[in-house]
Amino acid sequence: MKKKRTDINVEPKPKKLSSRVKAVQPTAEQPLTIQAATESAGTVPRERKRAPRKKAEVPASPAVRGAISASPGDSPATQTRKIRRAIAEKKETPIEMPDRTAGASVSAPRLPTPPPAISPPEPKLKEQGAGQPEAPIKSPAASPPLPKLKFEIPRILFEGDEPLLPPESGPGRKFAIGPVPSDARTLETERRLQQRLASGKVTLVPRDPHCVFVSWDLTDEQQQSYVAEAAQRQFLLRLRLHNTAGPIVHTASVTRESRHWFVPVAQAGETFIAELGFYLPDGAWISIATSAPARTPSATASQDRTVRFAEMPPPARPQFSGQRQPPLEYREPIRAVAPAATDYGRKEERRAPARQQAPSAGFATEWTAAQERALDEIISAVVVRQEWFDSFQLVEVLEHRRGGREVIQGKLAEMQFELPGPSSAELISVERAKESVSSPSGVEERAPDRGFWFNVNAELIIYGATEPTARVIIGGRQIKLRPDGTFSYRFALPDGQFELPAEATSVDEDRRRAELRFSRHTTYAGEVGAHPQDKELKIPAAENVA
Amino acid sequence: MEGYLSLVLHAHLPFVRHPEHEKFLEENWLYEAITETYIPLLQILEKWQAEGIKAPLTLTLTPTLCSMLLDPLLQDRYSRRLEQMIELAEKEIHRTHWEQRLNSLAFFYHERFESIRAYYLACGRDLVGAFRRLQEAGLVEIITCAATHALLPLLKDHPPSLRAQILVARDHYRSCFGLEPRGIWLPECAYCEGIDAVLREANLRWFFVDTHGLLHANPRPRYAMFAPVITPNGVAAFGRDLESARQVWSRHEGYPGDPRYRDFYRDVGFDLEHDYVKTYLPGTDKRGFTGLKYYRITGGSAPKEPYDRKAALEATDLHAGHFLDSRIAQIQKIGRVLDRSPLIVAPCDAELFGHWWYEGPEFLDLFVRKAFYDQKVFVLLTPEQYLERHPSNQMATPATSSWGEGGYWGVWLNEKNAWIYPHLAAVQEQMTELARRFERPGLLQERALKQAGRELLLAQSSDWPFILRTGTSPGYARQRVTDHLARFSLLYDQLMGGEIDELQLAKIEAQDKLFPEIDYRYWQ
């Protein structure tokens, strides 16, 4: 019989020094005192990921420190700053890497320039330079000019919805004192590495359901040669849905120093391709390169509820036998077990060795709706709390977005019913916290009894395009066109009447005018709620056209 | 018995080894983890073994961590570090003679460090061997990880790199533990479709995903994260439980934030006069952690109170009991709904226990003892043991996911670290070019090819973009990435140019010394 052994063991009282304690004597091989010159210019110990930080502690005051030492040392923060400075001062003998641009009068560490729409650029040392392109890339002259698309309007235009970077958070915050300039050797290495990137390729990587990362390998010289030909002296990055013939869902003008871009996308679980190019002064579109297609992750639970079981083959080595054996290869295909309405009841025989079951012995297929609902409730309760206490630091994300913990607390009950859908399992959608355009995070509870419900709402998107040089006035206010001449505005559309006159004037004073009138009049039958909507949206009025 | 609980500890540190410096601050990450986590964990497991407690843990020992634990240089340096810590504790016993509460703590640390030293020497400084013996005894199932903890979904566009990360890790596991690994911890729990095919090739049977990796799987798993699914390639995916993670992980309500527990940041390395402690600092002139911490979290804005070991252990006991009661209630609640015994998978970074949460090992010890002796609602087991009992599971494709902030790759791919990836993409292609070009290399060429593979693997580590993102040591992380890329480029140019500088190669080999038997052909 097992004996309860859960009493805690308190450490024994302090005892006197053991005779085993010996001061380490310096030796020739192991000097006790390490020379300062041999120390690394390292930094404070790395804060391991997601470890729960003890509550943020204010560094002890000098008085408190005085309890230990009459002459306190530097505070951790001060020391950390010193350590950071030491990085910049670090000098060591590098392993030289070949400079493939040797001879060229180049000194251009081309550090990444972040898109200003997403986050401010990280301060870095930067120099301008001009090396020689090494790899042949497609010449603009060799590209047949494409027909000018005067009214190439993105299908879905969402402005101001770029996902924000989460704030600094977690254990690293203590030592996060901002970017530190790299030392000269690192910068030189980076410069040389950068010169090796000249494939001319565009790469698209889905970062999350609503953001893709696009990068391109062009040297400074390649970029500058293209920019020199471009009508707006800048590149355009286009994101297309599905394939190269798909609709453009995002267009961004990128700076000449940029080598990558984070593009917000509305559609989760969709395939995109990225295209880098520019317009010639005559309006012809020149494509520099196009990425391979890539698919963003799905952000919701699958609607496919097919249940099919399979049986894992036995392991290749004995279970915890402790006996070493030569590596075994097993390639047996997994055995599909046909679902059968067998005698498998609400509770299986827990200890029955599963492999003794006949292959036909599946699990219960009579999974009831009541079970489904009960499990959903368990999950949703946990998921809602997860937004409070998780290890992803979602709390910080939410605080950042919602303006403080109090707001979160106030919304807790509502969040539980935030997202409609057939299953509350969808609440796990972590990206929901980002207030993405496809899942605005307004809150409107549905019936707590989880019975039938219905929410509806409406938004309005005004979009258009004209000559990039034209002047456009909407609602009496001049708007700023995108470099390709497009524009778009997104509004909430509550019940009511709205008017927005739009007028475009060319450089030759040629004018076009459109009177846009909208009305919404909703009638309801039964209990109908307002579907959550982005609270940043305003009604389509002239004063809301920025 | 109504269900199962699988405790999973993920032990990982990036490969930090700088023989060119007598003392290197970042190497202290390893020394701290050995002292505060790895050896205390081994001591606990051995106590369980002695007492016949059968509650196997699942433990990741990543290839980079194993490489460092087995490295003679780092072993020497750790031994020296231990001696320094013992010496400092001895000095502290004298210094605090008139401050009773601190004095008792100085005695405590002295004894603790001596115990750690005794264990380290007794196992011949071979901690990997110590873990191996415990696996052979059934106390722990050790699983592997990607070779250098690369975020695998970001390698998806270059299958040879994905393959190399897994197969090099598999080979390294064999050399360390004499067995095939059965499970793998995907770095950062990051998964996307297609990774399971490589796991299958490596003969790996199971891995973990974060909760939404199963909740968003296709088709929708009937049992949510309370049972594994089998992927189309025949590998089982286990989902992380949120509720248990919350209780341990949360920085706001998690157990480690209790005011009775030891404060992580207050260390005599920062508090005492520099001249007094400078010999014992991880760096020579820079202040840092020594491991002697006299204060508890305390809470609020009041001055820190001295650490009370007895009170902290009482808190540990309470928290272990609470965690047990919570799991029992959770499993009973879920068990009433499911038509099979629910499985709760509770993974944590191993370094949480001891390093970050000083009393974590005691919590773990007490919880497992309580679970083993005091209840019959669930059993502790490993995923492999679960599959032995329940080999039939629903087929589904896990969703793209990670356990990082935001649930996808935002931590490792953002404005602070995006510059890395075009470089990685370029050198990955070059590595494959080398592997295909040199099918029958000469000895020197093979050495260069292997080292090029090591440099690429090290550059791919997810630790560097993580550090750049958190800003804890951005200069070091940036330097590491550029150094490995530069060393790779140098080797690439020499191989392609037909002239390999053997001295230079030897220097790089001595610098980045891991995976001695690496097979560069994995990149073909």
Side-chain angles (χ1 to χ4, degrees):
Chain A
M1 180 178 290
K2 292 177 182 177
K3 182 181 176 183
K4 183 172 181 178
R5 299 189 185 186
T6 56
D7 297 331
I8 62 169
N9 295 315
V10 177
E11 295 293 325
K13 292 180 179 178
K15 62 182 182 182
K16 291 189 177 180
L17 272 178
S18 162
S19 59
R20 285 175 291 165
V21 179
K22 294 177 182 176
V24 179
Q25 297 301 319
T27 65
E29 296 76 27
Q30 206 172 52
L32 179 61
T33 303
I34 308 302
Q35 292 184 355
T38 62
E39 184 200 350
S40 86
T43 62
V44 294
R46 173 197 171 189
E47 301 283 330
R48 282 287 299 152
K49 47 191 148 286
R50 286 175 304 283
R53 180 184 47 164
K54 309 284 172 56
K55 290 183 178 177
E57 303 296 343
V58 178
S61 66
V64 174
R65 293 174 187 279
I68 295 177
S69 168
S71 177
D74 291 328
S75 69
T78 302
Q79 287 305 316
T80 305
R81 282 193 291 274
K82 288 184 176 179
I83 291 167
R84 303 291 179 188
R85 282 198 296 273
I87 295 171
E89 297 164 0
K90 182 176 181 181
K91 295 287 186 290
E92 62 180 70
T93 305
I95 294 174
E96 292 295 333
M97 70 164 291
D99 185 353
R100 296 173 71 186
T101 60
S105 57
V106 177
S107 178
R110 291 185 307 195
L111 301 178
T113 303
I118 296 180
S119 65
E122 187 177 341
K124 292 165 187 168
L125 299 180
K126 182 183 281 187
E127 300 169 35
Q128 290 296 323
Q132 297 300 316
E134 295 180 346
I137 61 172
K138 187 179 178 183
S139 165
S143 302
L146 299 176
K148 184 177 179 180
L149 300 176
K150 278 193 173 181
F151 299 103
E152 191 172 52
I153 301 168
R155 179 176 286 179
I156 296 175
L157 299 167
F158 298 112
E159 288 192 334
D161 290 315
E162 293 85 352
L164 298 173
L165 286 175
E168 289 287 0
S169 60
R173 177 181 283 169
K174 177 182 173 68
F175 300 109
I177 59 172
V180 177
S182 299
D183 64 20
R185 183 179 70 84
T186 303
L187 287 175
E188 175 62 13
T189 306
E190 287 174 0
R191 182 191 69 76
R192 294 180 179 179
L193 289 170
Q194 190 66 46
Q195 287 302 317
R196 301 175 75 97
L197 298 179
S199 69
K201 288 183 180 176
V202 173
T203 305
L204 186 151
V205 176
R207 192 183 75 169
D208 58 54
H210 294 294
C211 181
V212 299
F213 170 69
V214 183
S215 63
W216 49 94
D217 289 351
L218 298 175
T219 63
D220 278 340
E221 298 68 39
Q222 291 167 338
Q223 296 232 140
Q224 286 168 7
S225 68
Y226 291 135
V227 166
E229 294 188 56
Q232 299 289 319
R233 296 289 184 265
Q234 59 189 356
F235 293 149
L236 291 178
L237 177 66
R238 289 171 162 179
L239 200 69
R240 290 182 183 272
L241 197 59
H242 306 316
N243 51 44
T244 54
I248 296 174
V249 294
H250 190 97
T251 302
S253 57
V254 297
T255 58
R256 70 179 66 182
E257 295 84 9
S258 299
R259 293 295 184 279
H260 66 258
W261 209 259
F262 288 94
V263 184
V265 294
Q267 301 94 331
E270 286 287 0
T271 301
F272 297 92
I273 64 138
E275 181 182 25
L276 192 68
F278 57 88
Y279 285 109
L280 292 174
D282 64 1
W285 168 256
I286 301 298
S287 176
I288 298 173
T290 302
S291 75
R295 188 177 180 84
T296 53
S298 171
T300 56
S302 170
Q303 298 305 307
D304 182 353
R305 293 171 182 265
T306 305
V307 177
R308 195 162 63 96
F309 286 90
E311 187 172 322
M312 286 286 289
R317 60 170 170 165
Q319 300 289 316
F320 279 132
S321 68
Q323 300 299 312
R324 297 189 189 187
Q325 62 180 18
L328 300 176
E329 297 290 333
Y330 79 88
R331 299 270 182 188
E332 305 95 305
I334 55 174
R335 209 156 25 116
V337 178
T342 63
D343 55 352
Y344 206 90
R346 286 276 298 149
K347 295 290 177 186
E348 63 185 283
E349 183 59 38
R350 310 291 186 196
R351 291 190 179 277
R355 282 208 307 278
Q356 293 177 5
Q357 297 173 351
S360 60
F363 289 88
T365 55
E366 295 177 1
W367 179 254
T368 66
Q371 285 173 288
E372 185 80 36
R373 282 197 301 273
L375 186 57
D376 281 352
E377 285 173 6
I378 291 172
I379 295 167
S380 60
V382 173
V383 167
V384 168
R385 299 176 74 193
Q386 169 75 356
E387 290 180 307
W388 276 88
F389 306 119
D390 77 338
S391 64
F392 299 158
Q393 301 147 10
L394 265 182
V395 171
E396 280 76 8
V397 176
L398 290 170
E399 281 182 324
H400 177 74
R401 294 185 172 279
R402 296 173 185 261
R405 179 174 308 285
E406 291 71 21
V407 179
I408 300 174
Q409 286 176 319
K411 296 295 183 187
L412 179 60
E414 297 172 309
M415 287 159 61
Q416 189 164 2
F417 304 104
E418 180 175 346
L419 300 173
S423 166
S424 56
E426 291 171 354
L427 280 170
I428 189 61
S429 175
V430 179
E431 53 82 34
R432 298 284 190 184
K434 296 182 175 178
E435 299 184 358
S436 57
V437 293
S438 64
S439 54
S441 62
V443 174
E444 193 70 27
E445 65 272 21
R446 66 193 199 204
D449 62 0
R450 306 182 66 77
F452 183 64
W453 51 276
F454 182 41
N455 290 342
V456 67
N457 215 330
E459 294 179 7
L460 173 68
I461 298 176
I462 297 173
Y463 57 94
T466 181
E467 293 287 347
T469 54
R471 186 174 74 254
V472 176
I473 295 173
I474 297 180
R477 299 186 178 209
Q478 182 170 346
I479 64 168
K480 186 177 180 182
L481 297 177
R482 295 193 184 93
D484 61 350
T486 61
F487 62 90
S488 67
Y489 290 93
R490 181 172 165 226
F491 301 95
L493 187 60
D495 281 1
Q497 303 277 345
F498 307 96
E499 290 186 9
L500 279 177
E503 183 178 277
T505 306
S506 73
V507 292
D508 301 320
E509 294 301 311
D510 190 3
R511 295 191 179 185
R512 300 287 188 274
R513 185 175 175 86
E515 296 288 340
L516 300 174
R517 298 187 183 87
F518 312 96
S519 70
R520 174 182 165 184
H521 177 68
T522 312
T523 57
Y524 300 97
E527 185 178 341
V528 178
H531 193 80
Q533 189 172 69
D534 189 341
K535 290 175 179 170
E536 297 298 316
L537 295 183
K538 298 175 181 173
I539 62 170
E543 62 270 23
N544 295 327
V545 178
Chain B
M1 191 276 294
E2 298 180 32
Y4 307 99
L5 174 65
S6 188
L7 295 175
V8 184
L9 301 182
H10 172 56
H12 166 66
L13 286 174
F15 188 76
V16 177
R17 177 182 176 277
H18 290 274
E20 74 276 23
H21 296 288
E22 184 67 21
K23 209 172 183 182
F24 199 86
L25 190 58
E26 281 78 1
E27 285 179 0
N28 215 49
W29 298 340
L30 175 69
Y31 310 149
E32 289 175 355
I34 292 175
T35 304
E36 295 174 338
T37 295
Y38 306 146
I39 289 181
L41 181 59
L42 283 163
Q43 291 173 323
I44 286 171
L45 288 167
E46 290 185 358
K47 279 197 292 184
W48 295 351
Q49 183 183 19
E51 296 177 30
I53 295 175
K54 292 182 171 54
L57 299 178
T58 303
L59 174 68
T60 316
L61 292 177
T62 64
T64 51
L65 176 59
C66 289
S67 298
M68 291 190 291
L69 292 175
L70 290 167
D71 185 82
L73 173 75
L74 294 175
Q75 288 173 341
D76 287 345
R77 290 183 173 186
Y78 177 64
S79 297
R80 194 190 317 167
R81 180 72 183 149
L82 259 180
E83 297 297 342
Q84 284 187 328
M85 293 164 69
I86 292 169
E87 185 180 304
L88 176 60
E90 183 181 358
K91 284 177 65 173
E92 280 296 281
I93 288 171
H94 294 295
R95 189 187 69 81
T96 60
H97 180 75
W98 300 107
E99 299 174 85
Q100 187 183 355
R101 297 174 75 178
L102 303 188
N103 186 248
S104 65
L105 285 170
F107 272 104
F108 162 72
Y109 282 120
H110 185 268
E111 185 178 8
R112 183 102 165 187
F113 294 153
E114 278 201 319
S115 164
I116 298 295
R117 178 176 63 180
Y119 187 95
Y120 195 56
L121 296 177
C123 71
R125 307 195 302 182
D126 180 10
L127 297 185
V128 172
F131 279 115
R132 182 180 62 233
R133 287 187 289 277
L134 287 167
Q135 171 164 251
E136 292 168 353
L139 272 294
V140 63
E141 166 125 27
I142 300 169
I143 61 176
T144 190
C145 190
T148 54
H149 214 260
L151 197 81
L152 299 178
L154 293 181
L155 302 181
K156 186 184 177 187
D157 289 341
H158 193 250
S161 285
L162 184 59
R163 214 167 150 258
Q165 280 280 348
I166 299 298
L167 297 180
V168 170
R170 189 259 330 254
D171 295 349
H172 193 256
Y173 184 98
R174 287 172 174 167
S175 69
C176 289
F177 303 106
L179 290 168
E180 288 279 280
R182 294 187 294 207
I184 184 168
W185 177 268
L186 300 180
E188 313 298 353
C189 265
Y191 178 82
C192 68
E193 195 172 350
I195 288 177
D196 59 327
V198 183
L199 303 185
R200 177 75 174 179
E201 180 188 356
N203 201 23
L204 290 159
R205 290 167 51 80
W206 41 270
F207 62 99
F208 302 96
V209 292
D210 199 62
T211 313
H212 55 302
L214 284 197
L215 293 185
H216 293 176
N218 188 34
R220 186 186 302 197
R222 169 180 288 180
Y223 306 115
M225 61 279 203
F226 304 119
V229 300
I230 299 178
T231 73
N233 283 295
V235 188
F238 291 80
R240 178 195 188 205
D241 174 57
L242 290 175
E243 193 172 337
S244 55
R246 174 182 59 84
Q247 289 177 320
V248 178
W249 275 102
S250 168
R251 68 172 59 97
H252 299 285
E253 284 205 354
Y255 303 132
D258 189 284
R260 289 167 287 185
Y261 289 143
R262 194 184 78 163
D263 187 276
F264 176 81
Y265 296 110
R266 285 294 299 274
D267 187 292
V268 300
F270 292 102
D271 286 339
L272 299 185
E273 286 183 46
H274 185 255
D275 283 348
Y276 177 83
V277 295
K278 66 180 181 184
T279 307
Y280 310 101
L281 296 175
T284 304
D285 284 335
K286 311 297 182 292
R287 287 189 178 270
F289 294 110
T290 65
L292 271 76
K293 304 167 199 262
Y294 287 137
Y295 293 91
R296 62 184 178 90
I297 292 172
T298 309
S301 57
K304 295 287 184 188
E305 293 288 331
Y307 179 56
D308 183 339
R309 180 69 177 168
K310 182 181 177 185
L313 291 177
E314 287 170 354
T316 307
D317 188 48
L318 286 175
H319 287 152
H322 180 264
F323 194 67
L324 179 76
D325 293 343
S326 300
R327 297 290 72 71
I328 289 172
Q330 181 187 18
I331 287 170
Q332 287 177 329
K333 184 176 181 181
I334 299 166
R336 284 192 289 271
V337 174
L338 303 192
D339 58 10
R340 66 188 301 177
S341 302
L343 167 68
I344 304 297
V345 177
C348 285
D349 278 347
E351 293 79 12
L352 171 69
F353 297 94
H355 180 56
W356 294 106
W357 179 13
Y358 191 58
E359 299 79 7
E362 285 78 13
F363 168 86
L364 187 66
D365 186 25
L366 284 169
F367 170 73
V368 168
R369 287 172 183 276
K370 288 173 189 288
F372 184 71
Y373 287 116
D374 296 352
Q375 59 84 38
K376 294 183 178 178
V377 174
F378 66 86
V379 294
L380 287 158
L381 47 56
T382 68
E384 185 63 45
Q385 290 172 324
Y386 178 90
L387 289 174
E388 184 186 7
R389 295 180 182 216
H390 303 281
S392 291
N393 290 284
Q394 187 176 351
M395 295 193 74
T397 300
T400 296
S401 54
S402 85
W403 77 347
E405 184 180 278
Y408 298 94
W409 331 136
V411 172
W412 303 275
L413 180 57
N414 54 64
E415 283 300 341
K416 292 184 177 176
N417 49 37
W419 61 273
I420 296 174
Y421 296 99
H423 291 290
L424 285 180
V427 297
Q428 286 165 184
E429 294 290 347
Q430 290 175 339
M431 185 67 213
T432 295
E433 182 186 357
L434 290 175
R436 290 174 180 167
R437 176 166 176 162
F438 293 94
E439 290 197 352
R440 293 184 179 179
L443 287 177
L444 194 58
Q445 286 174 325
E446 183 164 10
R447 279 176 55 193
L449 287 163
K450 286 184 170 184
Q451 194 58 36
R454 294 182 191 112
E455 299 301 330
L456 173 54
L457 289 175
L458 288 169
Q460 289 172 330
S461 167
S462 66
D463 299 294
W464 315 134
F466 177 86
I467 296 172
L468 286 165
R469 165 67 180 79
T470 59
T472 49
S473 304
Y476 180 68
R478 192 172 192 107
Q479 182 183 320
R480 284 295 301 269
V481 174
T482 53
D483 281 352
H484 294 305
L485 291 170
R487 289 169 195 157
F488 175 90
S489 298
L490 181 143
L491 295 168
Y492 172 83
D493 287 348
Q494 291 189 357
L495 278 161
M496 297 299 282
E499 285 189 25
I500 298 171
D501 184 332
E502 187 170 4
L503 284 177
Q504 214 166 26
L505 172 60
K507 184 178 177 182
I508 299 175
E509 286 174 330
Q511 180 104 17
D512 297 324
K513 191 177 180 183
L514 76 170
F515 306 143
E517 303 303 325
I518 188 172
D519 187 348
Y520 73 90
R521 292 177 178 82
Y522 289 151
W523 277 277
Q524 285 177 344

